[in-house]
Amino acid sequence: MELYQKTAAELSRLLQDKEITAVEVFNSFTERIDEVDPHLKVFITCTLDSALETAAAVDRRRMENEELHPLAGVPVAIKDNFCTEGIKTTCASKMLESYIPPYDAAVVEKLKRIGMPILGKTNMDEFAMGSSTENSAFFVTRNPWDLERVPGGSSGGSAAAVAAGMVPLALGSDTGGSIRQPAALCGITGLRPTYGRVSRYGLIAFASSLDQIGPLALNALDCSLLLEVIAGYDQRDSTSLPHEVPQYSAAAGRELEGVRIGLIEENISANFDPEIKFAVLKMAALLEENGARITEVSLPHTDYGLSAYYLIAPSEAASNLGRYDGVRYGYSADGDNIISLFSRTRGQGFGAEVKRRIMIGTYSLSAGYYDAYYLQAMKVRTLIRRDYEKAFQNFDILVGATTPTPAFKLGEKADDPLKMYLSDVCNITDALAGVPSLSIPAGLHSSGLPMGMQLTAAPLNEGLLFQAAAVLEKCSDSPPQQRTALNLTGRGEL
Amino acid sequence: MEFETVIGLEIHLELQTRSKLFCSCSTAFGREPNTSCCPVCLGLPGSLPVLNRKAVELAIIAALSLQSEIQKESRFDRKNYYYPDLPKAYQISQYDRPLALGGFIEMKNEGVKRKINLERIHIEEDPGKLMHSGESIFDSDYSLVDYNRAGIPLLEIVTKPDLRSGREARLFLEELRCILLYSGSSDCRMEQGSLRCDANISLRPAGSKTLGTRTEVKNMNSFRAVEMALDYEAGRQAAILSAGGSIIQQTCHWDEGDRKAIPLRGKEGSSDYRYFPEPDLLPLILKSDYIETLAASLPELPSQRRIRLMEEYGLDPADAAILTENRSLGDLFEVAAGEYKDYRNLARWVRGDLLYLLKGNDRNPSEVAPSLLIELLTMLDEGEINRPVAKDLLANIVKNGTNPRELVQQKGLGRIADREKLQPVVEKVLAENKDAVDSIKQGRKKAFAFLVGKVMAATAGRADPEKVQKLLRELIN
Amino acid sequence: MSDDFIREVEHVARLARLSLSSEEKELMADQLSAILETARKVREIDTVGIEPTAHVFSIPAFLREDVIYPSLPVEKVLQNAPKKMKSYFRVPSITVIEEE
Ligand SMILES: [Zn+2]
C-alpha cells in the first residue's frame, strides 16, 4: 500500500512513530499528483516548493525531538478562495486571475503554524457559485469515479483531490452545500461546521451570513482531526463563536446507545433517485442496530429553503462582489470614465453564473422589491431555523440523502441554472439555520458512482456527527477507496 | 410674499479615536498617501470588520451630551454604491436601527431662546479621499485615490428641519461644536474635515406648516460658509418663488470663491443604496449600566456652565461666554476662584491679558499653575506691585512658569512708595520739564498726566501712582 | 420576454455596474425571470409577526480596543493596483452624467 492511499490518521501515527518522514509522505502525494492531475485537473496553483520546505522542516524538528502537532507533516490542499500571502488567490475567476493577497487567511495561518505542507490551491466554481466546478474560469475538474462526470461543487477540486489520493485532507467552503455535495459525489466525507465555528477571516466572501469553512477527508476521524486544527474563536471575525473547541477526534468510537435520530422526510423525497433513498434507509437501519432510536421527522419549511436561499445568498453576494471594480486590484478593463471602468471591468471579469447572482441579488435588494423578496426571504429563514430548533428538541441527529442523484455528466446542467440549483436542495436549509452537517459515503450506486448520506446536529454538536459516522464506517460496506480504483484509461476521453 | 426659511442639517464628525472604526490603522491626519491602510480598510477580499470600542464609547458620549436617547440595540447596515473612494463598494453605516434617536440643543439667537431638535445620531465609516488632476472635479481627466481616510469613524447627526436662517445654522453649529469639544468626542475641525456639514433648505409661505421643495447644499467648509451659502440659497429660492417659479429638487455645491451655490448633476444618479443588515457585524447591544456609567462621567454641558458661571461667580454674560467656549480656560478660572475671591477681577485677567498671552505664546491654559496667578493678583491687590509690572510678571508666568513673588524679590520690582525714594525722582522730572509745569499752572490737566508718566517711566513703572500724584501736586504748588 | 422586463434587467445591471451585451441581456432576462419565479415561492408563506434572521446566532458583539497596529507597507497596498501614480491609485474621470 502506497503512502498516498493512507488516511491522515494513519500517516500521523506513522510520522509520530518515526517510521516514515514528512518528505516521504510529500513525495508519495506529489507523485500521485503528477500522475493524475493532468486527467482530473484539480489544482489551479501548486505550491510544492514551499510544501517541501515545510515537510523538511517538520522532519528536522522531529529529529530534534521537538513536540509537534499530530498532523505536522500531513499534506493538505486548500480551495482557491482562501487568501495566501504572496501566493495567487483566484477564486477561479478571471477577475482575480493574477491577484496576490498580502496576507494569509486565519485557517491558512493555522495550517502553517502546525507544519502541514500545503500542496496547492484547488479548483472551484467561480467565487464558490455553482455545484459542479464547471463555473471555473480556467478549466473543469473531473470526478475521479468517472471522468465524464462532475465532481460536484463548488469545492469540487478539494473533493476530487482527496478522492483521488492527491492529498489526504483538504479544506473547502460551504455556503449552501459546497462541501457536502462534492464530498457525496466523490465518495468522501465532508463537514460543514456550525456557522461561526471556524474563522472566515481571509476566506473570500460569497454570502457572509452563510459561508463556513470545513474539512474534506476520507473518513470522519480525519475530518475531526482537521476540524480540531481550524476551529476556534478569532477576534478578526466578529461572527466567530467564542465556545471552546472540544477534542472532536475523541468522539469517533463512542457508542450510539440512546441517541435519537430523525429521518428527514423531505430529504428522502419520492422524486430522489430510489437507490439513494434505499441507501440512506439502510444506513439508518445500521444506526438502529447500534442502539440509536430512529423516527421520521418533517422540516415543514424545507420546500421554501431553495427560494429563500436563492434570494439571501445572491443579495449578500451582490454586495460582497461590489469591490471588484478595477481600481485597487484584480482585472481592470479600459474605460475613459469611472462608470465605464466599473461596468466593463465587471462585465468582462465575471463569468455568467456570477453575473446572474449579482443580478438576482441586486434586484432583490433594490427599491420596490426589498420587502417582497429579500426581507421575506429573511423571515422565511427564521421559520426554517425554528424547524430545526423544534426538531432538535426531540432528536440528536437528523439524517437524509446528501444529494438527490449521484454525480451528473459534465455539461448536463450547465445551461440550466435552476436545474443546477436543485442539486443542492438537501444542503440548503441547514446552511440557512447555521447548524453543522456532515456528508458521509453511503455505498455505491448501480452505476458505480458513490452516494452520500447527510447527518445534521444542533449547533456546536459536530462531535455527535463524527460519533455516528464512525459507527457507520465500522459496520457498513462503505465504498472502497477510490484512490486505488481510479481508472485513468477508462471511460474518459482525455 | 413673506417666506419662512426651513433648514435641516446633516453633520459628520470624526470621532477622536487612535485607530480606525473597523481596523487597527492609525487615524492620524496628514500622513503620506496610502500608508495608513490594511486589508480591512482597503476592502481586500476576505477581510472582515471588527468594531472599535472607543468609537462606540465616544459616539455614546456625544449622543448623551446632545440629550439623544441611546438605543439598547442598534445595528450596522451596508449602504451600497459605487465610487472610487469607497473600497468595498458599500459603506458600513446604520440605517433603520441607529445608535441614538432624538435629542436637542438649546441656544439663543438674538436673545430669543431656541430649541433645535435632532432626528437621529449614528456611527459610520468615512470613505477615502479623491485628488483631482484638474482645477476641480469637473475638468479632471483622471483622479487619484488615497485610502488613509477610509474607515475613520464618523458620527452622523441629523437635525429636524428646525433652523430658520443661515445665521441660526451657524449658531447651532457653534453650539454643537462647543458641546462636542466639551464631551471630548471630536476635535471638530472644519478646516481639516473632521467636522462636515450638508444642509437641506426650503422655503414656505410664512405661517404655513407644509414643507416646500428643498435643495441640498454641500461643500461648505467653514461656519461662515454655512451661513453665507444658506443665506444665498434662501435668497435664490425666494427670488424664484416670488417670480412665480418653482424650485427644482437638486444638490448644489457651495463655491467659496464665487460665493455661489452651483447645481451638481449626475454623481450617483439614482440613489438606490440597497441597504441591508451587515452580515459581518453582530447587532450592537448596550447594557443600561454601561450607558449609565458613561452618562455619569459626562462633563457639565457648556450651556449649564455658562449659567453657573454667572450665578455662582456673578460674571457678566460676555465673560461667562468666553470662559465657557474655552473649556480649559474656564477650568483655570474655576480652580483659581477656589482661593481668589474677587471673581470679576479674576475673570477680567483670565479672559483678557492671560488669554492674549496664551494665544501669543501658543500655550494652553492647562499649562498655567493657578497658584501663580493667585499670587500675582494678590500682590497687585495688596499694592505690592503696579499694574504694568503685573503684566510683565504674568508674561513670565505664561512663558516660563516663574513665581512672581520670587521674581519681584530677585529683580527688585516691588512698588516704590517711600517719600525719600520718590522725592528726588519727582524733583528731577520737574526740573527737566519746566514747560509742562508752566502748562499746569495755566490750568492744563493733560500736562499733569504727562509728568506722572515721566515719573513712572523713570522708575520702570514701579512707583506708587497715588503717591506720585500727591508729591507732584505738592511740589508744583 | 417583455420589453418591461428587459428594461428592468437594464436598470438592475446599471445599479450593479455590469455591462452586458445585448445577447447577454436577452439570456439574462430569460434566466432571471425563471429564477425569480422560483424565488417568489417565499411569498406564499404568511410571515406576519415573524422577525427576519440577519444573523443565525445572537452573541454579544466583540469590540476591539482602540489600539494601533502597523498598517501594510505602501508597496503592498499598491502591489495589485491596475493603475497607480506616485503612491496613489489612479482612476479615469469621475464626472459622468448617468442616464436613467
Ligand atoms: Zn486598516
Side-chain angles (χ1 to χ4, degrees):
Chain A
M1 198 187 195
E2 302 287 334
L3 287 178
Y4 76 77
Q5 291 167 305
K6 296 191 182 299
T7 65
E10 289 163 355
L11 293 169
S12 163
R13 179 77 355 248
L14 291 168
L15 284 163
Q16 289 181 81
D17 292 347
K18 297 185 184 169
E19 290 189 23
I20 54 171
T21 66
V23 171
E24 283 165 12
V25 175
F26 169 86
N27 286 333
S28 177
F29 282 100
T30 47
E31 274 165 33
R32 179 65 175 171
I33 290 172
D34 286 345
E35 183 191 352
V36 300
D37 198 47
H39 309 292
L40 294 177
K41 306 282 274 172
V42 158
F43 287 102
I44 293 177
T45 307
C46 274
T47 51
L48 300 185
D49 291 349
S50 62
L52 179 57
E53 272 174 39
T54 306
V58 165
D59 287 340
R60 232 177 3 256
R61 289 165 64 194
R62 207 183 304 275
M63 290 277 287
E64 287 158 11
N65 290 319
E66 235 181 88
E67 197 160 329
L68 293 171
H69 189 278
L71 290 183
V74 176
V76 62
I78 58 180
K79 191 175 178 178
D80 205 19
N81 56 350
F82 295 99
C83 287
T84 41
E85 184 178 351
I87 309 279
K88 197 171 70 145
T89 299
T90 69
C91 272
S93 179
K94 181 177 172 184
M95 191 60 94
L96 293 178
E97 194 165 0
S98 50
Y99 174 65
I100 296 175
Y103 75 104
D104 277 331
V107 289
V108 172
E109 280 178 356
K110 288 185 166 185
L111 300 178
K112 284 184 172 174
R113 199 173 306 140
I114 66 165
M116 290 181 75
I118 300 171
L119 299 190
K121 314 214 41 199
T122 59
N123 199 18
M124 56 188 280
D125 287 299
E126 184 180 2
F127 283 102
M129 298 176 192
S131 313
S132 67
T133 314
E134 290 166 293
N135 292 336
S136 167
F138 308 130
F139 44 79
V140 298
T141 294
R142 291 161 188 265
N143 190 317
W145 294 81
D146 179 348
L147 299 179
E148 283 297 273
R149 289 177 189 268
V150 303
S154 66
S155 310
S158 285
V162 172
M166 299 157 90
V167 278
L169 296 170
L171 286 182
S173 65
D174 187 314
T175 305
S178 280
I179 288 174
R180 294 159 288 154
Q181 185 257 20
L185 300 194
C186 289
I188 61 166
T189 302
L191 174 78
R192 173 196 167 87
T194 307
Y195 181 80
R197 182 74 286 194
V198 180
S199 168
R200 293 183 291 118
Y201 191 76
L203 169 71
I204 298 184
F206 160 14
S208 313
S209 78
L210 292 154
D211 294 344
Q212 189 53 203
I213 294 167
L216 294 109
L218 283 178
N219 59 27
L221 178 61
D222 281 9
C223 267
S224 67
L225 288 169
L226 188 51
L227 182 62
E228 282 171 12
V229 174
I230 59 172
Y233 180 59
D234 180 6
Q235 293 194 344
R236 293 168 297 179
D237 176 359
S238 304
T239 62
S240 105
L241 295 173
H243 306 73
E244 214 172 297
V245 178
Q247 199 191 344
Y248 295 113
S249 51
R254 285 193 198 124
E255 299 297 310
L256 282 183
E257 206 60 53
V259 171
R260 300 164 301 168
I261 291 179
L263 191 56
I264 307 169
E265 285 170 25
E266 290 80 5
N267 284 2
I268 44 164
S269 153
N271 48 25
F272 284 17
D273 184 301
E275 286 190 47
I276 291 189
K277 251 182 84 170
F278 182 70
V280 170
L281 293 172
K282 210 173 108 190
M283 301 274 279
L286 276 176
L287 289 169
E288 202 161 24
E289 277 172 31
N290 281 277
R293 281 177 303 173
I294 314 268
T295 325
E296 284 211 1
V297 59
S298 168
L299 301 172
H301 294 94
T302 299
D303 253 9
Y304 302 94
L306 196 76
S307 310
Y309 177 85
Y310 275 97
L311 290 169
I312 293 170
S315 296
E316 292 183 17
S319 173
N320 282 330
L321 271 60
R323 67 192 68 197
Y324 306 104
D325 60 8
V327 174
R328 291 160 300 280
Y329 44 80
Y331 180 78
S332 185
D334 285 329
D336 50 14
N337 65 58
I338 197 71
I339 292 184
S340 67
L341 169 74
F342 287 166
S343 304
R344 286 185 202 161
T345 294
R346 297 165 58 74
Q348 294 164 17
F350 289 134
E353 181 61 27
V354 172
K355 284 193 243 184
R356 258 194 302 275
R357 298 214 193 177
I358 290 175
M359 291 290 288
I360 302 169
T362 307
Y363 180 91
S364 94
L365 287 174
S366 68
Y369 298 105
Y370 182 89
D371 287 357
Y373 287 88
Y374 178 74
L375 187 63
Q376 177 70 1
M378 300 236 293
K379 289 178 179 170
V380 171
R381 188 175 187 180
T382 304
L383 295 173
I384 288 168
R385 275 173 63 199
R386 287 188 190 165
D387 279 358
Y388 279 91
E389 279 165 17
K390 238 169 100 191
F392 286 124
Q393 285 170 8
N394 301 313
F395 298 98
D396 302 305
I397 301 175
L398 304 176
V399 300
T402 310
T403 60
T405 66
F408 42 92
K409 286 234 159 83
L410 287 164
E412 187 183 324
K413 301 183 181 183
D415 295 329
D416 188 342
L418 269 175
K419 234 170 157 182
M420 188 69 90
Y421 297 171
L422 279 168
S423 68
D424 293 333
V425 70
C426 306
N427 319 125
I428 274 169
T429 49
D430 29 24
L432 287 168
V435 295
S437 183
L438 180 74
S439 178
I440 59 171
L444 288 183
H445 192 264
S446 55
S447 61
L449 294 167
M451 302 180 287
M453 174 162 106
Q454 184 170 266
L455 302 89
T456 303
L460 296 169
N461 278 350
E462 284 84 354
L464 204 53
L465 300 176
F466 293 133
Q467 187 181 335
V471 167
L472 286 171
E473 280 168 15
K474 235 191 293 172
C475 58
S476 77
D477 47 351
S478 48
Q481 290 170 9
Q482 178 57 13
R483 50 190 50 188
T484 47
L486 180 61
N487 180 358
L488 293 174
T489 52
R491 283 167 277 184
E493 283 210 20
L494 299 168
Chain B
M1 203 198 300
E2 275 285 312
F3 292 108
E4 181 181 43
T5 307
V6 179
I7 297 169
L9 300 179
E10 227 181 81
I11 298 126
H12 288 95
L13 294 149
E14 281 180 7
L15 292 168
Q16 256 181 315
T17 55
R18 287 153 50 79
S19 65
K20 292 186 179 180
L21 184 54
F22 298 118
C23 66
S24 302
C25 291
S26 165
T27 55
F29 182 76
R31 300 183 48 157
E32 289 297 304
N34 294 307
T35 56
S36 199
C37 301
C38 74
V40 177
C41 56
L42 281 172
L44 294 190
S47 64
L48 296 169
V50 185
L51 188 56
N52 183 335
R53 176 190 301 279
K54 185 79 183 173
V56 173
E57 194 179 297
L58 292 175
I60 294 172
I61 288 171
L64 286 172
S65 62
L66 295 169
Q67 321 296 326
S68 190
E69 194 184 336
I70 308 296
Q71 304 299 295
K72 295 268 158 56
E73 182 173 345
S74 69
R75 196 175 65 194
F76 288 93
D77 298 277
R78 292 185 181 179
K79 179 181 182 179
N80 295 284
Y81 66 95
Y82 290 86
Y83 211 60
D85 64 4
L86 194 63
K88 301 184 292 293
Y90 57 81
Q91 178 191 31
I92 303 178
S93 180
Q94 296 190 293
Y95 183 51
D96 51 4
R97 307 280 302 269
L99 177 78
L101 288 171
F104 59 87
I105 286 183
E106 279 175 325
M107 56 182 219
K108 271 190 179 160
N109 185 2
E110 285 170 342
V112 182
K113 211 168 166 191
R114 298 279 290 130
K115 182 176 176 185
I116 309 302
N117 293 289
L118 307 181
E119 184 75 48
R120 54 181 281 158
I121 296 177
H122 74 252
I123 305 171
E124 62 184 31
E125 57 177 340
D126 213 351
K129 217 170 176 176
L130 286 166
M131 252 70 60
H132 307 297
S133 62
E135 284 282 298
S136 75
I137 180 170
F138 302 104
D139 57 8
S140 298
D141 311 332
Y142 65 88
S143 296
L144 301 174
V145 202
D146 172 9
Y147 293 106
N148 283 349
R149 205 178 67 181
I152 285 185
L154 294 181
L155 194 69
E156 181 174 324
I157 299 169
V158 183
T159 75
K160 295 215 157 132
D162 285 356
L163 297 157
R164 294 291 170 265
S165 68
R167 177 188 154 84
E168 194 159 278
R170 178 174 60 79
L171 288 173
F172 171 82
L173 287 172
E174 282 170 359
E175 186 63 24
L176 176 74
R177 178 173 173 273
C178 193
I179 293 171
L180 294 174
L181 283 175
Y182 260 64
S183 73
S185 45
S186 174
D187 64 3
C188 300
R189 293 189 191 180
M190 228 171 163
E191 67 283 6
Q192 285 188 5
S194 71
L195 187 156
R196 282 165 256 163
C197 173
D198 299 334
N200 284 309
I201 173 167
S202 63
L203 260 51
R204 64 183 172 196
S208 162
K209 286 281 164 241
T210 50
L211 289 170
T213 306
R214 60 176 199 198
T215 56
E216 197 182 355
V217 187
K218 293 182 174 240
N219 197 43
M220 300 173 288
N221 295 321
S222 66
F223 289 168
R224 201 179 53 105
V226 170
E227 181 171 357
M228 281 198 298
L230 293 176
D231 285 344
Y232 169 90
E233 180 59 16
R236 190 187 69 90
Q237 290 190 12
I240 293 173
L241 292 171
S242 300
S246 53
I247 306 299
I248 307 162
Q249 190 169 340
Q250 63 186 4
T251 300
C252 305
H253 235 235
W254 174 247
D255 188 318
E256 187 75 40
D258 285 355
R259 305 254 165 111
K260 259 185 187 168
I262 304 164
L264 199 66
R265 285 186 305 153
K267 191 185 162 187
E268 249 303 302
S270 52
S271 42
D272 183 347
Y273 292 123
R274 290 157 278 135
Y275 281 100
F276 73 102
E278 164 60 287
D280 289 330
L281 289 169
L282 295 158
L284 181 62
I285 300 182
L286 300 167
K287 295 202 182 101
S288 347
D289 53 350
Y290 174 63
I291 300 171
E292 279 159 23
T293 312
L294 291 179
S297 69
L298 223 57
E300 180 184 33
L301 280 177
S303 55
Q304 293 166 338
R305 182 180 229 185
R306 209 173 291 133
I307 292 165
R308 193 170 56 75
L309 287 176
M310 291 194 275
E311 286 175 352
E312 210 173 308
Y313 302 103
L315 303 187
D316 62 41
D319 286 357
I322 290 170
L323 293 178
T324 302
E325 199 181 302
N326 189 328
R327 184 179 170 188
S328 49
L329 196 70
D331 291 346
L332 176 65
F333 169 82
E334 293 212 54
V335 175
E339 277 187 50
Y340 183 83
K341 299 299 173 190
D342 186 352
Y343 304 133
R344 299 177 68 148
N345 185 46
L346 176 64
R348 268 192 301 278
W349 275 90
V350 168
R351 65 105 154 159
D353 288 283
L354 179 62
L355 183 58
Y356 177 79
L357 284 163
L358 288 168
K359 280 186 180 158
N361 291 288
D362 203 20
R363 293 286 158 92
N364 275 320
S366 56
E367 294 170 64
V368 175
S371 58
L372 300 184
L373 184 63
I374 296 166
E375 185 91 72
L376 176 76
L377 294 182
T378 310
M379 285 165 71
L380 183 64
D381 289 349
E382 289 175 358
E384 292 174 46
I385 50 170
N386 276 346
R387 227 182 146 72
V389 173
K391 289 191 183 190
D392 283 349
L393 291 171
L394 187 62
N396 266 297
I397 291 174
V398 170
K399 282 186 227 167
N400 313 313
T402 325
N403 184 313
R405 192 173 293 281
E406 283 169 15
L407 200 64
V408 165
Q409 277 163 6
Q410 218 174 62
K411 303 217 165 162
L413 299 173
R415 178 178 269 187
I416 307 169
D418 294 349
R419 198 184 169 98
E420 308 86 83
K421 279 188 190 156
L422 282 177
Q423 190 156 346
V425 183
V426 174
E427 281 167 351
K428 190 166 178 250
V429 167
L430 291 174
E432 285 167 4
N433 295 283
K434 290 235 158 43
D435 294 353
V437 176
D438 291 343
S439 300
I440 291 165
K441 284 179 175 158
Q442 286 157 24
R444 292 197 197 135
K445 295 253 161 65
K446 243 179 158 180
F448 188 75
F450 170 79
L451 290 176
V452 175
K454 282 284 171 193
V455 177
M456 293 310 285
T459 56
R462 293 168 51 208
D464 181 334
E466 277 176 34
K467 295 265 163 63
V468 171
Q469 289 182 31
K470 214 174 138 203
L471 256 175
L472 273 172
R473 268 185 215 107
E474 224 179 272
L475 294 173
I476 291 168
N477 300 326
Chain C
M1 192 48 50
S2 78
D3 284 356
D4 276 0
F5 194 68
I6 295 268
R7 266 198 296 280
E8 190 89 65
V9 166
E10 284 170 346
H11 167 72
V12 173
R14 212 165 18 239
L15 275 180
R17 296 285 186 266
L18 279 177
S19 71
L20 301 176
S21 67
S22 46
E23 301 91 80
E24 267 184 305
K25 233 177 274 172
E26 290 280 338
L27 184 63
M28 189 69 87
D30 282 341
Q31 292 172 331
L32 237 53
S33 73
I35 295 166
L36 288 171
E37 181 70 42
T38 304
R40 264 193 283 276
K41 196 174 166 65
V42 294
R43 294 160 68 176
E44 291 168 9
I45 314 178
D46 180 7
T47 55
V48 174
I50 305 291
E51 280 290 310
T53 292
H55 302 91
V56 280
F57 303 123
S58 43
I59 48 170
F62 171 73
L63 299 175
R64 43 166 272 272
E65 296 307 319
D66 184 25
V67 175
I68 299 172
Y69 285 105
S71 298
L72 285 174
V74 68
E75 316 81 67
K76 291 225 166 175
V77 169
L78 294 160
Q79 78 181 3
N80 288 290
K83 286 202 171 66
K84 55 190 163 189
M85 197 172 159
K86 290 178 273 179
S87 31
Y88 294 96
F89 296 87
R90 188 187 151 140
V91 294
S93 165
I94 56 175
T95 41
V96 189
I97 293 156
E98 203 179 359
E99 299 129 46
E100 260 305 312

